[in-house]
Amino acid sequence: MPSSIPPLPNLTRYTDWALVPDGLHTKTQLDRQGLKPGSDPVGQVLYHGNCYAPLYEATAAVPKRRVSAAQRAVLDRARELQYQCRRCGVHEREPLGKGRFCDPCRYAMTMWEQHDQAQLLSRELVADPAAVLLVVDVEPDSLPEAQGVAVVGVRDRQVLYAAPAGEYGTPERGAVLDRLDALLAGRRVVEEPDHMGPNRRYPQALLRLPDSGPVVSGRDPLHPWAAHNSAANASVARIWAPWYAHTDYPYSTVPCLPGHGETVPWSRSLDVAADGQSMAGLLHRIADGTEPVWERAAWTLDGHGVGIEERSA
C-alpha cells in the first residue's frame, strides 16, 4: 500500500466516514455487493489519515461480470504455474515470480549465458584482424634473457613483434614502449593476467618500477594498451573462465579460475611469443566450440539441456 494517496481534483472531500452521504460507496464496498462503478467518481473520503478513496453513486453501479467455468479454470491454472519452474517443471512451495525459474535452473541458465557470451567475444576477436594478444615478462628476478614482450595476432596467430623488454628506465625499454605505442594503436588488445603466469605479466609493469605498488585499473593516456583489468583490455583468463564455468561454491554464478597450480589450456613459459600463440589457439577453440568445459558445469549437471527451455503449460 502506498504511503499516501492524494485527493482527486475538483471532487468533494469527506474527512470522516460519518459525513459520507447515503448512496455513495467505494469500489471495495461495491465489489462486496457484486457491483462495479458505472460512472465517474462524485466524491472522495479520507481514510488512514493521508489517503483518499473515490466514491461512486450506488444507483449508477452495474453488476460485475461473472467468471465462467472456463475462465476460472484458466485462472486456476495460471496460479498453479506460478509455483512450477517452466524449464524443469519442478513444483516449489513459494511462487517463483518473474521468469518462473527455480533456483537451480536460474543458476544453470546464468552460467550458460556467461559461457555463451565468452564464445561470442572469442568469435569477435578471432574475426577481427586488428585483435592482438600482448604477453609480457618483466619479472625482475627472472633470467636476463627471459625479459621479453610479444604481440601475436589473434586471427592468424602470427608473431607481430617480439623483443627483450629491457630494464626500467633504459633506452631499450623506451624503444619497446615506443614500438608498442605505434603497433597497438587502434587495436583490440587481449592480455594474460599476472596471476596466471610464472612471472609478472601485467602490461603496466612495463611502465613502472618493480614492486612500486599495485597496478591501477584504467587507461593510461600515453599508453592505452597498458590498461589493466578494464573493459577495453580483456584477458584470456576472463574469457576462458566463464567458458570453462568453474565455480568455488555451489550455486555461485561467478565463474573463476581454478586454484593455483591447476592446469590451464595455454602455455605458461618464459617464451612469451609461444605463449601468445598458445592463447590465440585457445580463443580459436572457444570460438569453434571445441574447447572443453568443466565436468561439473551447471548446465551439464541439471539434466535439462542448455539455455532457456520452456515447457508447454
Side-chain angles (χ1 to χ4, degrees):
M1 178 179 292
S3 59
S4 67
I5 300 178
L8 297 171
N10 304 322
L11 288 181
T12 303
R13 304 180 191 177
Y14 300 98
T15 57
D16 190 277
W17 287 99
L19 301 176
V20 177
D22 294 337
L24 296 186
H25 300 287
T26 65
K27 282 186 177 181
T28 301
Q29 291 172 329
L30 292 175
D31 181 71
R32 291 170 181 168
Q33 304 174 48
L35 302 173
K36 65 179 181 179
S39 62
D40 294 333
V42 295
Q44 52 196 329
V45 61
L46 179 67
Y47 69 101
H48 289 170
N50 58 355
C51 297
Y52 281 87
L55 295 169
Y56 303 87
E57 292 182 345
T59 55
V62 297
K64 294 181 64 176
R65 187 177 66 176
R66 299 296 179 181
V67 178
S68 67
Q71 290 173 323
R72 178 63 62 186
V74 171
L75 292 173
D76 291 343
R77 178 58 176 163
R79 293 191 185 96
E80 179 185 351
L81 288 177
Q82 290 301 312
Y83 297 82
Q84 180 179 349
C85 176
R86 67 186 179 115
R87 183 168 182 264
C88 70
V90 69
H91 284 266
E92 297 288 350
R93 298 178 60 182
E94 300 293 335
L96 294 174
K98 185 178 181 181
R100 256 186 42 232
F101 295 110
C102 64
D103 286 343
C105 283
R106 195 181 305 277
Y107 163 65
M109 289 163 50
T110 301
M111 296 299 292
W112 166 261
E113 289 168 0
Q114 295 179 75
H115 167 88
D116 188 52
Q117 288 299 316
Q119 185 177 46
L120 292 177
L121 178 55
S122 294
R123 288 175 174 172
E124 288 180 10
L125 292 170
V126 168
D128 186 355
V132 294
L133 282 153
L134 173 62
V135 186
V136 301
D137 171 19
V138 290
E139 172 61 50
D141 297 329
S142 63
L143 298 175
E145 58 268 22
Q147 305 283 311
V149 58
V151 177
V152 178
V154 173
R155 186 165 70 173
D156 56 13
R157 311 183 208 186
Q158 295 297 312
V159 179
L160 304 179
Y161 176 65
E167 295 183 4
Y168 184 89
T170 63
E172 291 78 12
R173 176 67 63 86
V176 168
L177 297 179
D178 291 342
R179 184 72 179 100
L180 291 176
D181 288 340
L183 181 61
L184 301 180
R187 291 182 178 269
R188 296 182 67 175
V189 179
V190 184
E191 65 184 46
E192 180 189 10
D194 172 70
H195 60 275
M196 292 307 297
N199 306 308
R200 296 186 184 274
R201 286 186 165 174
Y202 288 123
Q204 278 200 355
L206 290 168
L207 311 179
R208 64 189 181 94
L209 287 168
D211 303 321
S212 60
V215 175
V216 180
S217 299
R219 297 177 68 85
D220 185 293
L222 298 179
H223 311 285
W225 48 266
H228 172 63
N229 283 347
S230 70
N233 292 54
S235 73
V236 172
R238 284 193 170 189
I239 298 172
W240 177 70
W243 171 268
Y244 189 67
H246 169 82
T247 55
D248 287 334
Y249 305 101
Y251 297 122
S252 168
T253 57
V254 180
C256 57
L257 299 171
H260 291 285
E262 298 289 336
T263 302
V264 293
W266 66 87
S267 65
R268 299 181 296 169
S269 68
L270 298 179
D271 187 342
V272 289
D275 290 353
Q277 291 175 316
S278 175
M279 287 184 279
L282 170 66
L283 295 178
H284 278 263
R285 294 194 300 273
I286 293 176
D288 296 338
T290 56
E291 178 63 26
V293 300
W294 190 32
E295 66 273 9
R296 296 174 56 190
W299 62 87
T300 66
L301 294 180
D302 72 350
H304 304 292
V306 297
I308 299 177
E309 180 183 350
E310 293 190 36
R311 289 192 170 197
S312 57

